[in-house]
Amino acid sequence: MRGLAFLASPLSASSRKLLTAGFDLWKHFELSPFCLFFWYNGKNAEKEKRVTAMGADEISESFLNELERKIADYTRKEIISRGWDYVSQGKVSQVKQAGSLLIGVVSGTDFYKVILGSRFEDNSCSCPYTGWCKHMAAVYFAAIKQQGGQPERAMERLTGAGPVKVSWVEKAQPEQAASLSAAATVGLSEDASPREWMDWMERKYGQTWQGCRHTLHPLQSVLSALKGSARDWPKPLQRMHWMYSILFILEQAERAVRLSDAFSRYYQEMSFTRMAEPWIEHYYSLATQLTADTEEETGLAWRDALAAYLREQAGRADARLFRWNQLYFGLAAALLHNAEWREDERLKLEKLLEAAGPPSSASADSEDASAPASSQEEAGTSDAGRNFPLTALAYLDAAQGEDSRAVERLKQTPPEPASALALEYAKRRLESREWEKFQLWMDYLNAIADGKRGGLLQPFLLLCREADLAQQENPTWQRYMIDKMPYSYMAVADLLLEKGSFEEWADLQLAMGLRPDELDPADMRLIAKRAPSVLIPLYHQAVEGWISMRNRQSYRMAVKQLKKLEKLYVAVKRPEAWKIYLERTVAKYQRMRAFQEELRKGTILK
């Protein structure tokens, strides 16, 4: 029985599992021990052949990408952190790729053999732990380090919120690794002009977008490098440089989204915009820190270069992933205090508007904000070159208090890019209680807000509500809300309750055809306590509705509503009116025997 001597030798976890499966076969099919021996050796040899027969080629980037996704999906963060500790202490050795497998040895309380593969069943470790362990994470980090990449970046991705990707930026060309770690400052300094920096960024990182088919993570390393290149600059200049670096990264993302096919474009756009949110928030944060000390020497050149770049991006006619006009407004808001900049910028925008040519016939037809949405969209398509300068000039007009002129400019643009600006200034005028100017903005918004533009309608209704509460003698704001019915039903109902207009609230429910059992019980209790009489018509309507359905269950519901109605009549001290109503109802439906039976069961009829 020398062939079974392997049973006495120490076995790895994977070998134990294989042997257990063999014993199951032995029991089921009553195999001999020799058959079991040959079956085990064959299976083990097949696995070892996949592991050791192939050469140790360079570990491919796609393979590392796949492994990182698996580790992110199946490994807890604290286990990943322990794996990082192992690789940091140099406890991983002999990492190599053998075909579709990655093999490594980790030194812990013992030496553990780790196998990582693209197939789920290929992943194993000889340690006692069940599942993805710290040794597997350690081997993955060691593989990245062995390739000349940045395992610390992988650690950040796996233990913090963020997409999972090993990008070409992190790979092993020595000159690239050096440029990233040294913040990519070769040949340029703070004395270089913005144009030189912009050209250099394009040459150095202008093709990064090609590695962003499914994630924007390759851009994060580039952004970190670009920010690091200005680490020691004066703060005002550093902010300008960082702002442009973010804009450069966003433009790379714009290029990347064009790689997607029509089928997956929507989901990719949603994913990309979420990934870019922290960058955009940082951009706005930097913009708010721009002050007068920015406007010195080189800072003036950076300021003008940033504004020119944003004008170019916001004025493009093709579909854009990000709202470049809002990014422009973020910069402009910080510079509006400078009268010289305002006038110079106005001249540049007017030149852009002049270069775009006169408005098309579609634009002329839709100049009235109340024109049909299709006409406005057609105008937006044909006059794309005019939309941004008109919106930007409206922004400057409003900032200088020329609201009427600003609104007239916005009427010449499609609603989508203009609505955000209109909402912003309507809110400002409401807060400062400048009612005439607020009326201008609200008249414009009322004309373009409809059920098809939910992102505009809800903020518009909120402004109407706040204005009505602050200026209750003016019926305009409540009328605007009612005009948007049925989309504004909830907003109108909440406003009427807050104002204590219970009778109008009840009229609204009657007009909407709603029954008491369909309304918020808390609202019903409040009104039953404060103004019970207004609920009586609601219950009358509900009773008639249930009876008209003509089935036993609806008759039972009608009886329940009648009982509540009786309590309301008692609460308002009108018992005689209740008797008259009940007699008429019974007489009206006297031929409905089932209904009459339910009335008796419910003790409505004695």
Side-chain angles (χ1 to χ4, degrees):
M1 296 299 291
R2 191 180 64 175
L4 296 179
F6 71 94
L7 294 175
S9 60
L11 298 175
S12 66
S14 59
S15 296
R16 286 195 297 270
K17 292 177 183 177
L18 190 62
L19 192 55
T20 301
F23 275 116
D24 291 340
L25 289 172
W26 181 23
K27 286 184 193 178
H28 186 73
F29 294 105
E30 298 182 354
L31 299 176
S32 69
F34 288 102
C35 291
L36 174 62
F37 167 70
F38 287 118
W39 177 85
Y40 172 81
N41 277 351
K43 285 291 183 182
N44 204 41
E46 180 183 344
K47 184 172 182 180
E48 291 298 326
K49 183 178 179 180
R50 293 205 317 269
V51 172
T52 61
M54 298 183 180
D57 298 329
E58 180 184 357
I59 302 171
S60 69
E61 178 183 337
S62 60
F63 184 52
L64 292 178
N65 293 340
E66 184 65 27
L67 288 180
E68 185 166 331
R69 280 190 287 271
K70 282 186 170 61
I71 292 173
D73 290 340
Y74 302 118
T75 313
R76 300 200 310 271
K77 291 181 180 179
E78 58 268 24
I79 291 179
I80 295 174
S81 298
R82 293 173 194 164
W84 175 256
D85 293 338
Y86 270 58
V87 76
S88 300
Q89 296 166 14
K91 293 186 177 183
V92 183
S93 60
Q94 303 177 21
V95 178
K96 66 178 180 178
Q97 183 177 9
S100 61
L101 301 175
L102 188 67
I103 309 164
V105 176
V106 181
S107 172
T109 54
D110 198 352
F111 287 97
Y112 299 109
K113 181 179 179 180
V114 175
I115 300 176
L116 301 177
S118 55
R119 298 187 306 176
F120 185 82
E121 60 269 20
D122 287 338
N123 297 279
S124 65
C125 178
S126 59
C127 74
Y129 186 81
T130 302
W132 289 71
C133 63
K134 57 188 176 183
H135 309 110
M136 300 165 91
V139 167
Y140 171 71
F141 290 133
I144 296 179
K145 185 176 182 180
Q146 184 172 302
Q147 287 296 96
Q150 295 179 312
E152 62 274 9
R153 299 289 182 228
M155 173 64 179
E156 292 171 3
R157 293 193 298 273
L158 289 167
T159 56
V164 177
K165 179 78 174 177
V166 178
S167 71
W168 68 271
V169 178
E170 295 178 0
K171 280 209 64 175
Q173 283 84 4
E175 63 276 9
Q176 279 186 319
S179 65
L180 283 172
S181 60
T185 58
V186 179
L188 292 178
S189 67
E190 64 184 82
D191 296 326
S193 68
R195 184 72 266 168
E196 290 173 328
W197 267 103
M198 293 174 182
D199 291 343
W200 183 85
M201 289 182 192
E202 182 63 33
R203 288 195 308 271
K204 190 73 175 178
Y205 300 114
Q207 300 302 313
T208 311
W209 62 272
Q210 296 181 3
C212 301
R213 297 190 68 89
H214 305 294
T215 176
L216 295 183
H217 188 73
L219 297 175
Q220 181 61 61
S221 299
V222 175
L223 181 58
S224 298
L226 292 175
K227 286 183 176 179
S229 65
R231 185 184 300 112
D232 300 324
W233 289 18
K235 286 298 180 183
L237 200 57
Q238 182 190 79
R239 294 187 193 106
M240 291 285 195
H241 181 278
W242 284 5
M243 288 173 68
Y244 180 77
S245 298
I246 293 171
L247 295 177
F248 173 78
I249 292 301
L250 295 179
E251 206 276 328
Q252 290 285 302
E254 294 276 8
R255 298 183 194 178
V257 80
R258 297 176 197 143
L259 291 174
S260 59
D261 55 83
F263 178 77
S264 59
R265 186 179 183 88
Y266 170 78
Y267 301 100
Q268 195 155 335
E269 287 180 350
M270 294 291 290
S271 173
F272 280 18
T273 50
R274 284 197 299 271
M275 292 180 196
E277 283 176 0
W279 304 337
I280 295 174
E281 289 177 6
H282 190 204
Y283 169 88
Y284 286 125
S285 174
L286 291 169
T288 58
Q289 299 174 45
L290 298 180
T291 55
D293 60 356
T294 306
E295 301 164 14
E296 297 178 2
E297 302 175 0
T298 314
L300 293 171
W302 276 99
R303 181 200 69 183
D304 295 339
L306 271 173
Y309 180 80
L310 286 166
R311 285 196 302 271
E312 177 186 355
Q313 294 294 331
R316 291 179 58 174
D318 55 337
R320 311 312 308 276
L321 180 62
F322 305 110
R323 296 183 177 181
W324 289 90
N325 59 334
Q326 294 298 318
L327 295 169
Y328 170 84
F329 296 151
L331 174 66
L335 303 176
L336 284 173
H337 65 281
N338 187 321
E340 182 181 351
W341 180 86
R342 285 200 313 268
E343 294 307 314
D344 183 59
E345 190 68 11
R346 184 182 292 277
L347 290 175
K348 292 174 180 176
L349 291 169
E350 288 175 348
K351 287 182 180 179
L352 282 177
L353 185 60
E354 183 180 356
S360 65
S361 57
S363 178
D365 293 340
S366 64
E367 197 165 308
D368 183 1
S370 62
S374 58
S375 176
Q376 293 178 354
E377 296 299 336
E378 182 183 352
T381 303
S382 58
D383 291 316
R386 296 174 52 84
N387 293 335
F388 169 69
L390 279 169
T391 307
L393 285 168
Y395 180 82
L396 294 179
D397 291 336
Q400 294 180 267
E402 300 178 16
D403 296 54
S404 178
R405 187 178 181 185
V407 170
E408 290 304 315
R409 291 190 193 274
L410 292 184
K411 288 180 180 179
Q412 302 175 51
T413 67
E416 296 306 329
S419 59
L421 179 61
L423 286 169
E424 177 186 348
Y425 272 97
K427 184 177 180 181
R428 291 187 186 184
R429 301 312 183 224
L430 175 60
E431 290 173 350
S432 60
R433 298 297 190 261
E434 298 177 74
W435 294 113
E436 290 186 9
K437 293 181 178 181
F438 178 70
Q439 179 84 54
L440 286 171
W441 291 107
M442 294 300 284
D443 288 345
Y444 169 74
L445 288 168
N446 181 55
I448 64 174
D450 55 34
K452 296 180 180 179
R453 299 188 177 100
L456 169 60
L457 181 60
Q458 294 308 315
F460 170 73
L461 293 173
L462 183 59
L463 287 172
C464 288
R465 176 182 175 280
E466 293 179 6
D468 188 77
L469 292 173
Q471 198 183 31
Q472 296 192 20
E473 69 279 4
N474 188 347
T476 303
W477 320 123
Q478 186 172 318
R479 187 180 72 248
Y480 279 172
M481 298 178 74
I482 294 173
D483 288 344
K484 303 304 177 184
M485 295 286 288
Y487 307 106
S488 61
Y489 162 74
M490 291 298 297
V492 174
D494 290 343
L495 174 64
L496 293 174
L497 282 178
E498 187 168 354
K499 292 170 63 177
S501 303
F502 300 126
E503 188 171 354
E504 292 182 51
W505 179 90
D507 291 340
L508 175 64
Q509 314 312 318
L510 288 169
M512 295 296 294
L514 296 175
R515 301 189 305 266
D517 56 291
E518 295 174 320
L519 301 174
D520 188 342
D523 293 342
M524 293 295 292
R525 287 194 296 270
L526 172 67
I527 298 174
K529 182 178 180 180
R530 296 191 180 182
S533 61
V534 305
L535 295 179
I536 291 177
L538 267 178
Y539 279 95
H540 285 176
Q541 180 174 274
V543 169
E544 294 294 330
W546 284 119
I547 296 174
S548 66
M549 294 183 187
R550 294 178 179 270
N551 62 72
R552 182 70 70 166
Q553 182 60 33
S554 67
Y555 295 154
R556 293 190 186 112
M557 292 300 300
V559 171
K560 288 183 179 180
Q561 301 297 306
L562 284 169
K563 289 182 177 180
K564 294 180 180 179
L565 184 56
E566 182 181 9
K567 293 179 181 178
L568 288 174
Y569 273 108
V570 171
V572 297
K573 300 178 180 180
R574 296 173 58 193
E576 294 300 323
W578 160 249
K579 292 179 181 178
I580 294 172
Y581 169 76
L582 181 60
E583 290 173 359
R584 289 178 179 176
T585 302
V586 172
K588 182 178 179 181
Y589 299 108
Q590 61 181 335
R591 293 182 178 275
M592 296 181 179
R593 287 190 293 178
F595 177 56
Q596 298 291 327
E597 291 174 4
E598 293 300 327
L599 287 173
R600 292 187 180 89
K601 288 180 182 178
T603 67
I604 298 293
L605 290 180
K606 307 298 183 183

